[in-house]
Amino acid sequence: MNEILSEISSFLWGWPMIILLLGTHLFLTIRLRFPQRKIFTAIRLSLQRDKGSTGDVSQFGALATALAATIGTGNIIGVATAVALGGPGAVLWCWLTGVFGISTKYAEGLLAIKYRVKSKDGRMLGGPMYALERGLGWKWMAVLFAIFATCASLGIGCTVQANAIATLTESSYNISPYITGAFVCLLAAAVILGGVKSIARACSMLVPFMAFFYMAGCIYILFVNAEYLWPAIQVICKSAFTPQAAGGGFLGSTVMMAARFGISRGLFSNESGLGSAPIVAAAAQTRNPVRQALVSSSGTFWDTVVICALTGLVIVSSIIAYPEISSQDGAKLTHLAFDKIPYVGGPLLTFGLLTFAFSTILGWCYYGERAVEYLSGKKLAYGYRTIYIIAVFVGSIMNLTIVWNIADCMNALMAIPNLLSLLFLNGIIVHETRKYLWRNQLDKDMEESMDEG
């Protein structure tokens, strides 16, 4: 069964999916006149509060929750794995994927606000399932997306992350997975049972804190490797477009290998196009769809353009500086690079992985709950929280190889209907962008006409 699922996962995440995702990134970038130009405006808006606007959480709270679910092991181990499998050129392809993915994340955030609905108790509900149903009339595809999102949340968002935490604490500190599982379970329950506002508050505090310490560690390593930084940039750029011969600590690779692994890891890291982030973007307090679209797009900037790029430079410069660090498996490669920080390198990496994984558990719980609520209503959504919390403990103590493959399949199946909604509703996206962004009316309030859900 696991071998079959592995084959399906490899097919779904093969070149057709990569072309579809990257093609959507490029199409929306051109169609929307390079919204990447507005990234500093997006960052400024993310730090402001739209007082009096309709929504459940602040724009920063929504962004922090999305980043909590997005920033994870993919930013650390994933980038190292891309270097190990595709050579140093994979770093550039990963970075370019993030740059162009900004436009897709922008479009997702816009549709999330445009087609969100207000529940009977006043909460905001939205995401690709509502865009598919209300924008295109594709109720059946909206249901499929919600099913895939629910399965993915219990897999890649919950059990896999809990297992990563338990495995790391056992190998580093010899703590029993049962003890770790119970502790993480109780900690997650304390946040999750409070609902979206509690999750957003926790993520708003946790995400800047964990990102700052991880980035500080990366910058320190780059400072130590300063004389190798420019050679690292040169080898990254050169091997992205020319074959990389084995040597200097690197394994040989082709341009196709660099592109494939760099693009796929970049897409997996920032989740632009998967349709997960717009679920929480719909809950944001915002005056109009474009403001939240810009805020959402800044998430891809921080996740891939900054954090993944720093990780890539750390890995490649460390391999050049210390030839004994060969580009082997991703996890070991990352540990060897961070071990070069005296005394605190290993603990810093461990802390980063633990906090990244825990924050992913929090963010994906909200995604799954909203998907369940779309499928079956509010009552079962509360029951989902209980199941999710139990799954945190179960994931900590079991072998999850098969769950990884199931989660990978669910993520790919989520992306397909979401990308179709972006492509078929690109006219609406352009219309709203012209109305608020191109005409410099970002402060204008939208005319809300939300149905009750």
Side-chain angles (χ1 to χ4, degrees):
M1 184 65 177
N2 191 51
E3 289 178 4
I4 294 171
L5 287 169
S6 180
E7 289 294 323
I8 295 173
S9 174
S10 297
F11 170 76
L12 289 173
W13 282 106
W15 277 110
M17 175 60 74
I18 291 175
I19 291 170
L20 176 61
L21 275 162
L22 192 58
T24 302
H25 290 352
L26 293 171
F27 171 76
L28 290 173
T29 294
I30 296 170
R31 189 84 167 89
L32 297 171
R33 302 180 186 175
F34 292 83
Q36 293 88 342
R37 296 179 295 112
K38 299 293 183 179
I39 192 61
F40 292 109
T41 300
I43 294 171
R44 175 176 58 82
L45 290 174
S46 70
L47 300 175
Q48 297 177 351
R49 181 182 290 273
D50 257 355
K51 295 182 179 179
S53 300
T54 306
D56 301 330
V57 296
S58 67
Q59 289 179 316
F60 181 76
L63 173 64
T65 304
L67 279 173
T70 303
I71 298 177
T73 54
N75 300 80
I76 304 175
I77 306 300
V79 174
T81 303
V83 174
L85 297 174
V91 175
L92 180 61
W93 287 107
C94 180
W95 185 79
L96 288 174
T97 301
V99 171
F100 290 111
I102 288 173
S103 58
T104 300
K105 191 63 73 73
Y106 169 92
E108 290 178 322
L110 190 152
L111 292 183
I113 299 296
K114 177 70 176 178
Y115 292 110
R116 68 181 179 179
V117 302
K118 183 183 291 185
S119 66
K120 293 179 181 179
D121 57 359
R123 293 173 300 115
M124 291 298 176
L125 308 174
M129 50 276 201
Y130 294 92
L132 287 162
E133 180 184 351
R134 301 184 72 215
L136 294 170
W138 294 354
K139 173 74 175 179
W140 63 275
M141 192 170 283
V143 170
L144 285 177
F145 175 88
I147 292 172
F148 298 145
T150 303
C151 295
S153 70
L154 291 170
I156 197 71
C158 177
T159 52
V160 165
Q161 303 300 327
N163 188 263
I165 293 173
T167 302
L168 186 61
T169 53
E170 184 180 27
S171 62
S172 301
Y173 306 106
N174 201 28
I175 299 174
S176 168
Y178 288 89
I179 296 175
T180 302
F183 178 75
V184 175
C185 185
L186 291 173
L187 198 61
V191 178
I192 289 170
L193 293 177
V196 63
K197 293 184 179 180
S198 175
I199 293 174
R201 279 197 301 271
C203 293
S204 296
M205 293 185 290
L206 185 60
V207 168
F209 180 72
M210 68 185 191
F212 171 79
F213 277 98
Y214 177 72
M215 290 168 62
C218 288
I219 292 171
Y220 175 85
I221 296 175
L222 292 178
F223 178 78
V224 172
N225 295 346
E227 63 180 295
Y228 304 100
L229 183 56
W230 179 243
I233 294 173
Q234 288 180 311
V235 75
I236 286 172
C237 295
K238 181 180 179 181
S239 57
F241 303 103
T242 57
Q244 170 71 32
F250 296 106
L251 299 177
S253 63
T254 66
V255 175
M256 294 294 284
M257 288 171 63
R260 178 186 173 186
F261 290 106
I263 292 170
S264 62
R265 296 298 172 179
L267 295 172
F268 192 79
S269 171
N270 60 52
E271 296 183 10
S272 293
L274 291 188
S276 51
I279 296 175
V280 70
Q285 298 166 346
T286 186
R287 299 181 200 180
N288 57 63
V290 169
R291 286 177 73 93
Q292 183 54 38
L294 288 169
V295 172
S296 294
S297 71
S298 68
T300 299
F301 172 79
W302 291 118
D303 176 90
T304 306
V305 178
V306 176
I307 295 179
C308 283
L310 282 174
T311 303
L313 287 172
V314 163
I315 297 296
V316 176
S317 65
S318 295
I319 293 174
I320 296 174
Y322 310 101
E324 69 272 16
I325 302 180
S326 62
S327 52
Q328 38 205 288
D329 76 277
K332 189 172 183 179
L333 186 57
T334 309
H335 278 282
L336 288 171
F338 271 79
D339 280 343
K340 298 303 177 182
I341 302 179
Y343 308 111
V344 299
L348 179 64
L349 179 61
T350 300
F351 174 77
L353 287 169
L354 290 176
T355 52
F356 285 4
F358 181 71
S359 68
T360 300
I361 290 174
L362 299 182
W364 269 94
C365 179
Y366 181 77
Y367 296 160
E369 184 181 334
R370 291 287 79 83
V372 169
E373 184 167 355
Y374 177 82
L375 292 169
S376 56
K378 183 178 177 181
K379 290 184 179 179
L380 283 182
Y382 285 136
Y384 167 85
R385 292 184 194 176
T386 304
I387 295 172
Y388 193 90
I389 292 168
I390 294 172
V392 171
F393 180 77
V394 173
S396 301
I397 61 174
M398 65 181 290
N399 188 307
L400 293 179
T401 304
I402 193 169
V403 178
W404 264 108
N405 287 320
I406 293 173
D408 281 347
C409 293
M410 292 302 106
N411 278 344
L413 293 172
M414 280 175 63
I416 294 170
N418 177 60
L419 292 170
L420 289 175
S421 71
L422 295 175
L423 293 172
F424 280 92
L425 292 172
N426 75 86
I428 297 293
I429 298 169
V430 170
H431 176 268
E432 295 294 315
T433 301
R434 179 183 298 111
K435 181 178 179 180
Y436 295 107
L437 184 60
W438 296 346
R439 294 176 180 171
N440 295 317
Q441 298 194 64
L442 281 175
D443 293 329
K444 182 179 179 180
D445 293 333
M446 63 178 170
E447 301 84 20
E448 298 221 38
S449 57
M450 291 174 290
D451 302 328
E452 286 198 349

